[in-house]
Amino acid sequence: MTLYSHPGKPLIKHLEEVAQSCLSFFQNNRQVFANTELKETLKNLAFICGAFHDIGKGTKFFQHYLLSPDHEQIGPKNHALVSALFVKELAKAYLKSTSLSDFEKALFAHFVFTGVKRHHGKLKNFVDEFDITSKSDELQEQLISFQEAEVQEILTHFAIQLPVKYSLQNFKEYIISKSYEKDMLDFYMDEFTWGDYENVPSETKISYFYAHQLLYSCLLFADKTDVILQENQQEKALLEENLVQRFRKEKEFETARTELDGKKNQAYCEAIDNLQEVFSPYQHIYSLTLPTGLGKTITSFAVALEMKKLLDAPDTKLIVAIPFTSIIDQNFDVYKQIINSENTNLLLKHHHLAEPSYKINEDVFDPDKSQFLIETWQAQVVVTTFVQLIDSIFSNDKSKLLKIPNLVNSIIILDEVQTIPYHYWQLLKSVFEFLGETFNCYFIFMSATQPLIFNPEKVIVGRKEIQEIIPAYKDYFKFFNRTKLVNRTNTELTIDAFNEEVFSYINDNPTKDILVIINTKKQCLYCFEELVRMIETDKTEIYYLSTLITPFERKNIIKRIKEKKSGKQQVIISTQLIEAGVDLSVDTVFRTLAPIDAIIQAAGRANRYNEKGILGGTIFLYQIKEIARATSLIYGSDLIQKTKNVLKQVKEIDECNYLQLIESYFKEVKTQSDNYHSKELEFLTNLQFEDLGNFSLIEETKSESVFIQLNQEAVTAWEKFISIYSNESLDIREKRTAFSKIKAVFYDYVVNVPIPYGLKSILFDSEQCFGFYISYSNNPSQYYQYDEDDYTRNIGYKEVGAYVL
């Protein structure tokens, strides 16, 4: 009788393909855990996991369930635990032949146990995996239902490839005697909790953690690849050489039409030239520091491609991680122009709203294959978010961990790296150093406001903690003098007094475009409504931007601002969202107090292209009484205090000296970071996979979603959404697949409204439908204001009436 792993797939064939895939990963990635016996050990353990991860499917219970028309259960069909115990015992037999310590032999045997046990679920904390006494009866049942002849055939098949002998009879005796109950407890008590693990150095514990994650993710990746792609695995494509040089020539970037163009070219050439001097295969952490407006996007991409040449590794993957989806789309368009291809195996975009379609030439893959190829980053260049990258490094979720094999040997650009909260610096520093040295990853930290996650002055064994690619970057900051910062935070104003100052400035400067950035949505809206009341709108266009208006409206407003067709003065009242990669330029910015890096980001929206000449832009900085507490909650009182410390003696400062503020500020922040106790790093070193899996780079707030039918496109998207989720013939996976095709358009009309403190829900005048409140086109909600023509009425969601607790 032939045993099957999946319908139509012989079990022995599936195990062989997964085992060979696991083996190939380590054979093809020689730099991973390089020059250590551990590398050879991991390779053999990965092969053992792949070869026997589904051996528990060789029972009559599972085979009956799989092959019967209605998937009838006649006994325990779960196969992961019995397979995990078999793999653990086989691994123990193999590990005896290695020179690892007795503790490491026991540790790695239990690593493969948890990996196989959880290859269909999420990892739990390591110590929570060992108590399986409640499963004893089930294990005994499964043991006597093994199709022994067929299972023995599988063991015989792999025997010649294994560095150790282990028989089915050995395993049967192990299960019948229930020896696993004692040896699990002994390891838990004597080795892990109160034994040798306590005395292991932190760096070694990090190594153990990622050895486990690599074994686990390799098994997951190989297993899913065999099931989903089957025989249709794609050959890897390679990028053409000199892509950026060709692109720059086509765009005539090499011909400097302005002094700014000349500086961009100088920075680009200096980065490429300096890389030849400072690059070393042993130096894994780099920085690229340049002020806003000097073309970091293109320059960093060229630097990464040059690194590939220096490494002589044309297959090296480039991963560009960006903090905000709003920046991803515009940067992706630049990379697309450079690569000049629609093929997803060359250039891939991955975030929660990206189109889930994978195509090569004219071939578009089916939804399951597309989703798998996209979510496992199977492309030469991947453009994604910080959340996708960093969550996968710390996750216990198998769907996220599938990416890890494709992180190996990659070059990772972290754009706007200063947005990473300082309380994660220690954690990321430790992990990035490990991923660099052991996974052979190379990191490029890119920013105009470079944080001190790594110390550029510190040298370790002949290399720097972080190597700047443009050593003379300070000269570029001195070149720019587009703006000046005027500090008015010594006196705290009320919001009404602030509004009066803004209004007076608007009246006194009718030819200047003005941006006002306020930290809270409530006071931002209040400022907008007050200015609308005061301003003569026949002379001035005034716009409101916040996340309480739909992305569709925000895009239209930003487009309208940039086009400036009317020639009128423009006034923009916005929350901080406008600092996230919104490419526009005004004369004057009014900014409420925020951390220094946010202030510098705001300054980058004034005289951005030096079109108004030297010091043609002004940034006024204010403290507002009504939002002082909220500001501390949003940014952290510690960062606000450090900003005040840095600004204490500053009344006015020109842009050419902004770098002094940035460096002083991040020195203070580094002190705070160094004294911060990272519970996440503690979870990692204690192998608390589930606790660490709760890691979130972005702090979630409780909110509810509202769908706004602004136009016919929105109405159509809603109707399709309802059609999909009310279709009872589709299962949940099919519904999600169908929805993914309209998701990007659908979410253009969604706002997420925070639930006010003390309430269970937001206020709205419709019932929820499939998790959304709806403002209908033929019956608009009183809680959402929109006018296609009058932008002074476009304020989005606004509470009406009093709260009812």
Side-chain angles (χ1 to χ4, degrees), residues 121 456 507:
N507 270 353

Side-chain angles (χ1 to χ4, degrees), residues 84-121:
L85 287 168
F86 184 90
V87 167
K88 179 177 80 74
E89 288 305 293
L90 181 54
K92 278 171 62 177
Y94 156 67
L95 287 162
K96 288 177 181 176
S97 66
T98 70
S99 61
L100 298 181
S101 68
D102 288 344
F103 164 71
E104 286 185 324
K105 290 173 183 176
L107 182 68
F108 281 103
H110 286 83
F111 275 4
V112 296
F113 168 77
T114 56
V116 173
K117 182 183 178 186
R118 294 297 171 190
H119 78 277
H120 287 301

